[in-house]
Amino acid sequence: MTAEQPQRPVRYSSSPAPSGLRGAAVKAMTRLMNSSNQDRVIRTGLPDRLNFPPISARPFTRGVAHYGIMIPDLPPPHRFLANLIIMGSTGFRAWDDNDIPVGSPRRTSQLGWGSAATTGDSLHVFDADDLHHESDGSVLQFGDNYRIAITYPEISLQAQLQGLDVDLRLTSTDVNTWVSDSGIYRHFTLLCAYEGQIALTDSGERQQVKGMCTFEYGTGYLPYMDLPRPLPKALKIPADFFSYHVIAIDHETQLVACVMGAFGDLTAGMAGDIRTAEDGSRRLGISSTFEVTTFDSKPISYHGRSRMVMPSTFRWTFVESDGSTSYIDGEVDTQWLYAGMGYIAGYRWSGVIDGLPRDGRAYTEYSDRRS
């Protein structure tokens, strides 16, 4: 970042709705995907079928699949767990890295992996020959060192990658938040309790961990997913900014918040949901804003590509119908890990939620491909 080329501001708000031709295109895209917005809850409850099928090798079927286990508040030195899988190519500018050396997108899977304590490459790319899976998604295994097994509501993760050894057991609470629910893409996030062990293999010291996390699943299809190569940037869906947050409010309460931007400065969708196992999921506020308040002084990149200027501090604001405000002030205090779809980090936060002062830790994904 230089004085001649200042960092482009980041500020997205759920209202007013975007206008003009680009605004009409954004509205059409969100309607087609049936995406959630702050003032629009698209669906509640669990999906009709509790299976999690991966990408298909056959054309005209599932062309992308996404899995994630996100933990926002691990003890030091880890702070957070990044565990994000994308199988195939989404066609969204914010999420695709066309420089990943791949053949057919349907044969390619990406895993963003690590914690605040890991070093080395955080992005792992697998060919279909490295993947073993069951057609219903009950087993997903990359090579010999990474395995997810799902017998709902139980989910297990065993992995030894890049010096990080993880053995976790998740139990879904049946509390679910829908991000999108359409024939072309459906994505939901389950509130889960977890317990298990995590260790750095070099030290051999194992930590017992437990708490609340998310299990994410998304899948979809559009015709370009059958192409032998990812779409060139100029032809991708112009959703070019994305940030997702899993925020630990306390040991039982979680806030998930997401923002997607399009055409450089238009809000394509954003929402925040408070969740507990006892009370379920509820939308926080009738309007919301996400704003980066300070940026890092220099951009980062991954092996010379995916160059971005990352946020140092930011604020989420949620306004209720009576005018009362909840807010989160976040400050990134870990390294950023590259995950193909963007970068992942942990942060500390303070703020006010439902009138009460709060603070804690959180997990974030961030991708700014507006240029």
Side-chain angles (χ1 to χ4, degrees):
M1 184 169 60
T2 66
E4 292 77 19
Q5 295 178 316
Q7 170 59 27
R8 193 171 182 173
V10 170
R11 189 181 189 279
Y12 294 93
S13 180
S14 64
S15 60
S19 59
L21 291 177
R22 296 191 306 168
V26 168
K27 292 175 186 176
M29 179 178 69
T30 56
R31 281 197 299 268
L32 186 64
M33 294 184 64
N34 194 25
S35 299
S36 180
N37 201 12
Q38 190 67 37
D39 60 354
R40 181 170 176 259
V41 177
I42 57 169
R43 184 174 174 181
T44 59
L46 294 170
D48 298 330
R49 300 178 62 187
L50 282 166
N51 57 10
F52 308 88
I55 196 172
S56 172
R58 302 189 311 274
F60 311 116
T61 58
R62 289 181 306 277
V64 67
H66 162 56
Y67 302 81
I69 295 174
M70 291 78 174
I71 302 180
D73 57 349
L74 286 172
H78 298 287
R79 297 297 187 186
F80 69 94
L81 177 67
N83 180 80
L84 187 151
I85 296 168
I86 294 181
M87 307 173 73
S89 179
T90 69
F92 282 62
R93 288 185 188 174
W95 291 341
D96 284 357
D97 179 356
N98 281 11
D99 292 325
I100 291 175
V102 298
S104 165
R106 281 189 179 271
R107 291 187 54 86
T108 304
S109 298
Q110 305 167 44
L111 168 65
W113 173 259
S115 76
T118 52
T119 59
D121 282 343
S122 55
L123 177 64
H124 303 264
V125 181
F126 299 92
D127 182 77
D129 293 336
D130 303 317
L131 172 64
H132 167 73
H133 63 78
E134 299 296 334
S135 59
D136 62 357
S138 57
V139 173
L140 188 67
Q141 182 170 326
F142 297 120
D144 298 325
N145 297 317
Y146 182 94
R147 187 176 191 269
I148 290 178
I150 307 172
T151 305
Y152 192 87
E154 305 299 324
I155 303 160
S156 67
L157 168 65
Q158 286 88 34
Q160 292 181 325
L161 285 172
Q162 209 62 44
L164 184 62
D165 185 347
V166 173
D167 185 355
L168 296 177
R169 297 167 302 284
L170 283 63
T171 302
S172 173
T173 64
D174 287 345
V175 174
N176 186 35
T177 303
W178 287 88
V179 178
S180 181
D181 183 29
S182 72
I184 63 173
Y185 189 67
R186 61 200 306 262
H187 184 164
F188 55 88
T189 168
L190 293 160
L191 174 66
C192 296
Y194 75 89
E195 62 177 326
Q197 297 180 337
I198 186 168
L200 294 172
T201 53
D202 288 345
S203 70
E205 180 181 349
R206 307 189 71 81
Q207 292 177 280
Q208 299 291 326
V209 294
K210 64 183 300 185
M212 306 303 291
C213 67
T214 70
F215 178 77
E216 314 267 335
Y217 177 71
T219 187
Y221 173 76
L222 282 167
Y224 59 74
M225 295 176 182
D226 291 326
L227 296 173
R229 293 288 185 272
L231 283 176
K233 181 178 178 180
L235 299 180
K236 290 185 186 294
I237 294 172
D240 46 19
F241 179 89
F242 173 78
S243 190
Y244 176 62
H245 299 244
V246 180
I247 302 164
I249 305 299
D250 56 38
H251 68 283
E252 295 179 342
T253 310
Q254 183 184 90
L255 168 62
V256 289
C258 180
V259 54
M260 175 167 281
F263 294 109
D265 56 3
L266 300 184
T267 303
M270 63 189 308
D273 292 85
I274 290 276
R275 321 188 311 170
T276 68
E278 181 177 355
D279 298 327
S281 178
R282 66 175 173 89
R283 189 58 44 89
L284 181 62
I286 60 169
S287 66
S288 57
T289 301
F290 175 77
E291 182 176 15
V292 175
T293 48
T294 61
F295 291 92
D296 290 348
S297 59
K298 296 180 179 179
I300 63 173
S301 64
Y302 181 77
H303 297 310
R305 67 177 192 268
S306 295
R307 183 181 175 92
M308 299 181 199
V309 178
M310 307 310 293
S312 301
T313 62
F314 43 80
R315 169 172 279 203
W316 280 99
T317 305
F318 305 91
V319 180
E320 300 286 354
S321 57
D322 63 2
S324 61
T325 299
S326 296
Y327 68 91
I328 296 281
D329 283 329
E331 181 178 2
V332 177
D333 60 359
T334 73
Q335 63 178 332
W336 288 96
L337 303 177
Y338 188 61
M341 52 62 61
Y343 293 86
I344 297 173
Y347 65 89
R348 60 191 177 199
W349 68 272
S350 62
V352 172
I353 303 294
D354 291 332
L356 298 176
R358 301 279 197 169
D359 61 76
R361 295 206 58 81
Y363 160 104
T364 184
E365 302 163 7
Y366 188 93
S367 180
D368 186 351
R369 289 188 166 117
R370 292 177 294 170
S371 58

